[in-house]
Amino acid sequence: MSRSARLVRSAAPWALALTLALTACDGGGAQDDTGSAGAGDPYFPKAGNGGYDVRHYALNLAYDPAGRRLSGTARITARATQPLSAFDLDLQGMEVEKVTVEGGPARFSRDGQELTVRPEDRLDEGETFEVTVRYAGRPETVTDPDGSKEGWLRTEDGALALGEPTGSMAWFPGNHHPSDKASYDIAVTVPKGLTAVSNGELTTERTTGGRTTYTWHTAEPVSSHVATLAVGRYDVTRSTTEDGLPVYVATDPTQTAAARTSLARLPEIMEWAEYNFGPYPFSSTGAIVERPDDAGYALETQNRPVFPGAPDSGLLVHEIAHQWFGNSVTPRTWQDMWLNEGFATYAEWLWREDEGGTTAEETFKALYTHGEDTYEDLWSFPPAKQPSAAHVSDEPVYQRGAMVVHKLRQTLGDDAFYDLVQGWTATHRHGNADTDDFTEYVEQQAPEKDFEPIWRDWLYGEGKPERP
């Protein structure tokens, strides 16, 4: 909120001198030092917040499935990117009991998903600070613009937290936009007999007084939309790949037998993906397999994707590919979603080709010729220009996104194409990138090629291109 000075019609000389002195002290006049309530996303304007950059989340949670009650303390370490007398966190539902900044009490207020925090002392630009939020309640299920469910989902024996695009605000306060990634420590206490699974590596598991606390650590940056928490009864297997990478798989007991064959190929798929996309960007891998009705869709949650029932190898490849495309190289805004889904879908095409099935060229031609028979909205909008938030995950983003990637492969040839892909994942490893970053990178890597027809007809063009 801007502060404006009152205009005094006839000021005494001493008053004018005082006004000039105060103006000099505050650097040229009053300024707005409240962080914005939103990160400026074109489709989700309330998502995220301005004025600070989160470095680390330390979440201490306890969940009671019988009472469906979650209680938590979130310690958020952040750096102010401007002077701050107030800033916002995203938190939908839940009751906030107490907020502190740098150990001192802070005033706070609520307005929808915005939790506005007012510290006792203004934070300076560049200052690193810690805000602690104590909260509790029944976490909400969030309905997306496209009608899908995310946030906190009740399951048969516990709960599942999924966050794409904005659902993580249902279970912890934060800066919930992909442009602000952070490391995580998540400690979750649940009744004995249940397991709590999250991202990263399990560092401790301790049972006391009929309750078990699981502590998970993720050192690499995570966008909150791919943070997860799964509570329930699971069959857990721990192993390592040939390269020594820890593998942690949690499977609902009703799905264990069906998932055994496909999950056994996880190390093989990891090796294949590294060969094609570059070094794996994280320090562990795995999967969470729920019952089909618990979520109804798979999600590329970091380190261990979530699956609704036993995945086939194509779906497993898709979600593992997202660890490079979406989780490590994360979109700057949700308009850049095709950079996630186009590459992950194309990974499926490559896997089928390498397995001796349909080649990527055959898949491309079939999609161009008959794709609307399967995906009736295939040509309804270009992959990099979705009409609204309700369409960020529609088929043009996936299928036409993959067609853009294939056109690049056709133009470059295989050797240059794979060099390009691996260079892209290395250049933006653990960072954010948008569509302009990608097109500029492609043109810089192969300045002798003409990519304008691909951008014009396939990436941004309306309708079906005239020729494949």
Side-chain angles (χ1 to χ4, degrees), residues 34 86-89 107-111 114-118:
T34 300
F87 58 89
D88 281 19
L89 298 168
R107 292 180 295 136
F108 63 90
S109 59
R110 306 289 299 276
D111 182 11
E114 301 298 326
L115 168 62
T116 301
V117 178
R118 296 175 177 83

Side-chain angles (χ1 to χ4, degrees), residues 254-272:
T254 65
Q255 305 301 310
T256 299
R260 185 173 293 115
T261 299
S262 60
L263 292 179
R265 302 196 72 179
L266 179 58
E268 174 191 357
I269 290 170
M270 289 287 299
E271 182 180 3
W272 174 87

Side-chain angles (χ1 to χ4, degrees), residues 391-411:
H391 299 282
V392 296
S393 295
D394 283 2
E395 288 301 338
V397 176
Y398 289 68
Q399 305 304 327
R400 289 189 63 178
M403 296 177 91
V404 171
V405 178
H406 188 70
K407 292 297 291 184
L408 292 175
R409 183 183 176 193
Q410 287 179 325
T411 301

Side-chain angles (χ1 to χ4, degrees), residues 197-209:
V197 186
S198 190
N199 310 89
E201 293 77 58
L202 181 65
T203 57
T204 62
E205 177 182 338
R206 183 178 297 108
T207 299
T208 305

Side-chain angles (χ1 to χ4, degrees), residues 116 378 411-412 441:
T116 301
L378 180 62
T411 301
L412 291 166
Y441 181 83

Side-chain angles (χ1 to χ4, degrees), residues 94-349:
M94 309 292 284
E95 178 182 347
V96 176
E97 299 171 356
K98 184 179 180 180
V99 179
T100 63
V101 176
E102 287 296 279
R107 292 180 295 136
F108 63 90
S109 59
R110 306 289 299 276
D111 182 11
Q113 71 183 57
E114 301 298 326
L115 168 62
T116 301
V117 178
R118 296 175 177 83
E120 286 185 307
D121 300 314
R122 192 179 79 159
L123 301 167
D124 295 328
E125 181 177 356
E127 180 178 352
T128 298
F129 64 96
E130 183 178 277
V131 53
T132 301
V133 181
R134 194 171 70 204
Y135 61 102
R138 285 189 173 187
E140 297 181 3
T141 297
V142 177
T143 301
D144 291 334
D146 65 1
S148 60
K149 304 294 184 182
E150 56 165 322
W152 194 264
L153 309 175
R154 289 190 68 192
T155 62
E156 184 74 21
D157 52 7
L160 174 64
L162 299 177
E164 187 175 305
T166 62
S168 293
M169 65 181 176
W171 60 285
F172 68 96
N175 198 19
H176 293 303
H177 188 265
S179 60
D180 192 0
K181 301 163 72 171
S183 58
Y184 281 71
D185 283 291
I186 302 179
V188 189
T189 301
V190 295
K192 182 180 178 181
L194 299 184
T195 300
V197 186
S198 190
N199 310 89
E201 293 77 58
L202 181 65
T203 57
T204 62
E205 177 182 338
R206 183 178 297 108
T207 299
T208 305
R211 297 174 68 80
T212 304
T213 299
Y214 298 84
T215 304
W216 294 85
H217 172 70
T218 311
E220 300 91 359
V222 183
S223 170
S224 68
H225 80 277
V226 288
T228 192
L229 174 59
V231 176
R233 293 181 176 84
Y234 296 101
D235 291 330
V236 174
T237 59
R238 296 178 176 89
S239 60
T240 59
T241 65
E242 289 187 3
D243 294 334
L245 189 73
V247 181
Y248 185 104
V249 174
T251 308
D252 186 285
T254 65
Q255 305 301 310
T256 299
R260 185 173 293 115
T261 299
S262 60
L263 292 179
R265 302 196 72 179
L266 179 58
E268 174 191 357
I269 290 170
M270 289 287 299
E271 182 180 3
W272 174 87
E274 284 197 280
Y275 179 79
N276 286 286
F277 310 140
Y280 181 62
F282 305 116
S283 51
S284 66
T285 188
I288 300 170
V289 181
E290 295 282 356
R291 303 180 188 213
D293 294 336
D294 286 341
Y297 58 89
L299 188 64
E300 62 270 22
T301 45
Q302 193 156 306
N303 304 94
R304 52 190 50 80
V306 171
F307 297 98
D312 59 25
S313 61
L315 183 57
L316 191 56
V317 165
H318 183 105
E319 304 305 338
I320 290 299
H322 271 309
Q323 306 305 308
W324 283 262
F325 307 105
N327 294 6
S328 177
V329 184
T330 302
R332 201 176 306 279
T333 76
W334 288 108
Q335 189 171 4
D336 305 304
M337 182 78 156
W338 81 274
L339 288 169
N340 296 11
E341 301 301 348
F343 273 99
T345 300
Y346 196 66
E348 294 182 67
W349 297 12

